Amino acid sequence: MIQPFAPKYMKIGVLTAALQELTPRNVRDIDPDRAIEDWLGFAGELGVNYIQLSTALHPSESDIPAEALLDPVANTLDLRKPFDKTRARRVESALKSSGIGLSDLAYFDNMLHHDSAVRQKKHDFMLRTFEAASMLGVDAVCGFVGRNQLHSMDENLIDFEENFIPLLKAAKDRGLTFRVEQCPMPGWTTSDNFHNNIGYTPGAWIALHRICAKHGVGDQFRIHYDPSHAILMGQDTRSIFQYLKDEGYGFLIGGFHVKGQVIDSKGVAAWGYGGQTMERGDWIAGKPSNKPADQLNAWKKQVVFCEHELPGTARHDPLAYLQNRTVDWLDHQLAARELLPLDVENTHLIIEHEYPKARIQNKERLKPILQGSIAFVRKIDEAAACMAALQNEVLASQNIPVQGIGRQAYRS
């Protein structure tokens, strides 16, 4: 049977942390949902169809000062006060009038924190995030698992079972899935640990999912795949997706952050992929500094050899693609279609802006930068959709071979 040419495109969105200060703090602290309304208006100007709504503990409540963060989080969704029906109706009205949709909610924090009081505070906030997601009619929350810094990685599997499974059961009760972004968060601690979010790589995802399945919440555990973190760890998207398919876990990928990473070969020569291990400046006089600005230096485990890329801002570099030193965006989108059992037309591609030199807290300056990146992501996805449909459907239906070899998993 001859197949028609029918490419399928993903849903393009942006994480609201891209401009966390769009609404001045003195305005949104008094009128918290104003920030969402302003972002929906901005999203329309950017030409994007969806926003991923960022929430976080308010700066006055957070255990980590903003000065110690590599990428400051955004509480566009302010949950200091309950998100009740009145607030939900206001946000729903703004969504309807703007024509912009919500992909999901995002709260990135350490859910396995070793201090039980701090951990409980974060869990309580996550439950409030679940409630808001349920009231707004989205089906997922995106975030981290985290790590107990006092325990080994194997012991953290026990921590996950004891402390994270209850969160997944709460998500299940509300009809939600939890999608884990796989950033290892190396700068989260002034210790020498590099992997501080245990859901950082496919082998770990499978181990965690087995625990989830044992407790009846396997369907609640999914991955929000971000290729920048694969590059950080020397991996490439096609090999990761092939591995998941081979192991029978391709279903784990539930959404995508579109953010890249550009490896600095000089930094790798100096420190390797483990990053700077000494003389960072996060320890003073033989112990961890209590100054947030000093604690930021813990991120030299990462930033000495790489820099986040806003899609479209890095030069086209075929050799770097093959060396896994930057993201091959076209093959990233092709691999997703070819290797994962996705419902493509209902899969979200969320631009996450963390390119340091362009982290501009000025709407008019940032606007054309984000517009360009969003347009780039849309066209890359369209190109991949066209190639996948032509090669895997149209040609295949007529027994016409695809030309060439293309990028192959496990080969560089």
Side-chain angles (χ1 to χ4, degrees):
M1 179 180 176
I2 298 173
Q3 291 290 325
F5 175 66
K8 296 180 176 63
Y9 309 126
M10 295 187 185
K11 296 178 174 180
I12 308 299
V14 63
L15 174 62
T16 60
L19 183 52
Q20 67 263 37
E21 303 301 332
L22 175 63
T23 306
R25 176 74 57 187
N26 63 343
V27 174
R28 57 187 165 125
D29 275 356
I30 298 170
D31 182 11
D33 296 321
R34 169 73 180 275
I36 301 174
E37 293 171 335
D38 289 350
W39 240 105
L40 289 170
F42 187 39
E45 296 176 38
L46 295 174
V48 76
N49 304 103
Y50 295 86
I51 62 169
Q52 184 180 48
L53 186 55
S54 179
T55 188
L57 287 164
H58 190 271
S60 64
E61 300 176 343
S62 177
D63 59 305
I64 302 178
E67 297 86 353
L69 296 171
L70 180 64
D71 301 298
V73 294
N75 67 319
T76 314
L77 173 61
D78 190 327
L79 294 177
R80 286 174 298 162
K81 295 181 180 179
F83 192 79
D84 55 21
K85 291 182 179 179
T86 300
R87 293 185 67 186
R89 282 197 297 267
R90 177 177 172 182
V91 173
E92 288 168 350
S93 177
L95 288 164
K96 184 176 181 180
S97 61
S98 69
I100 305 295
L102 287 181
S103 61
D104 56 348
L105 304 189
Y107 168 43
F108 301 102
D109 213 331
N110 185 359
M111 296 293 110
L112 299 184
H113 198 284
H114 62 275
D115 185 305
S116 60
V118 174
R119 184 174 66 245
Q120 188 60 54
K121 184 177 183 179
K122 296 175 188 295
H123 282 216
D124 290 344
F125 191 86
M126 184 63 80
L127 292 174
R128 296 207 297 274
T129 304
F130 287 172
E131 282 297 312
S134 181
M135 294 183 74
L136 290 171
V138 297
D139 62 2
V141 169
C142 177
F144 296 140
V145 175
R147 177 179 182 170
N148 183 330
Q149 290 294 331
L150 302 182
H151 290 168
S152 70
M153 291 297 255
D154 276 351
E155 288 173 316
N156 265 270
L157 294 178
I158 299 171
D159 287 313
F160 177 84
E161 190 163 18
E162 292 178 350
N163 297 304
F164 202 87
I165 291 297
L167 287 175
L168 294 180
K169 289 181 177 178
K172 182 176 183 178
D173 290 342
R174 294 161 177 81
L176 301 169
T177 59
F178 188 90
R179 296 204 292 253
V180 178
E181 184 182 344
Q182 87 271 26
C183 181
M185 298 301 289
W188 242 355
T189 173
T190 55
S191 79
D192 291 332
N193 287 341
F194 191 92
H195 301 111
N196 298 305
N197 170 31
I198 65 170
Y200 71 96
T201 198
W205 306 340
I206 293 171
L208 295 175
H209 187 269
R210 286 173 178 157
I211 296 172
C212 295
K214 184 173 71 172
H215 291 277
V217 289
D219 290 342
Q220 277 58 58
F221 182 86
R222 291 293 182 266
I223 302 302
H224 198 83
Y225 179 74
D226 183 330
S228 73
H229 309 312
I231 298 299
L232 175 64
M233 292 179 280
Q235 300 167 310
D236 71 276
T237 289
R238 182 167 288 276
S239 295
I240 284 177
F241 292 174
Q242 184 69 59
Y243 178 81
L244 289 172
K245 180 180 180 180
D246 292 347
E247 297 298 312
Y249 283 88
F251 63 86
L252 281 179
I253 305 293
F256 297 89
H257 267 160
V258 196
K259 178 173 88 268
Q261 196 91 247
V262 179
I263 297 296
D264 176 359
S265 298
K266 185 176 180 180
V268 173
W271 293 102
Y273 276 84
Q276 190 166 340
T277 54
M278 58 189 71
E279 298 182 335
R280 290 189 300 252
D282 52 337
W283 281 58
I284 304 296
K287 61 182 180 180
S289 174
N290 59 8
K291 297 180 180 178
D294 291 340
Q295 294 167 21
L296 179 64
N297 288 312
W299 283 99
K300 289 181 181 177
K301 299 173 198 173
Q302 174 175 325
V303 300
V304 293
F305 70 90
C306 64
E307 184 175 65
H308 280 137
E309 171 202 354
L310 178 64
T313 61
R315 295 186 188 279
H316 181 79
D317 191 342
L319 181 58
Y321 302 155
L322 294 175
Q323 294 176 327
N324 303 333
R325 295 198 171 196
T326 191
V327 180
D328 182 344
W329 291 113
L330 182 59
D331 195 67
H332 174 277
Q333 292 303 110
L334 279 170
R337 287 171 165 83
E338 293 171 352
L339 298 172
L340 301 177
L342 295 172
D343 178 0
V344 171
E345 292 175 303
N346 288 306
T347 298
H348 289 275
L349 279 179
I350 304 298
I351 290 91
E352 184 181 20
H353 173 30
E354 292 181 353
Y355 173 30
K357 296 178 180 64
R359 283 297 294 265
I360 302 165
Q361 295 305 304
N362 178 293
K363 177 184 175 183
E364 296 310 315
R365 289 185 62 197
L366 184 60
K367 179 179 172 180
I369 297 172
L370 287 179
Q371 284 176 324
S373 182
I374 290 164
F376 171 82
V377 169
R378 192 181 301 278
K379 294 303 181 183
I380 284 288
D381 184 62
E382 290 175 356
C386 290
M387 289 180 70
L390 176 58
Q391 295 175 9
N392 302 325
E393 297 170 11
V394 176
L395 293 181
S397 72
Q398 299 185 45
N399 294 316
I400 299 173
V402 178
Q403 295 174 291
I405 296 172
R407 182 158 187 173
Q408 297 172 300
Y410 316 128
R411 178 172 177 256
S412 64

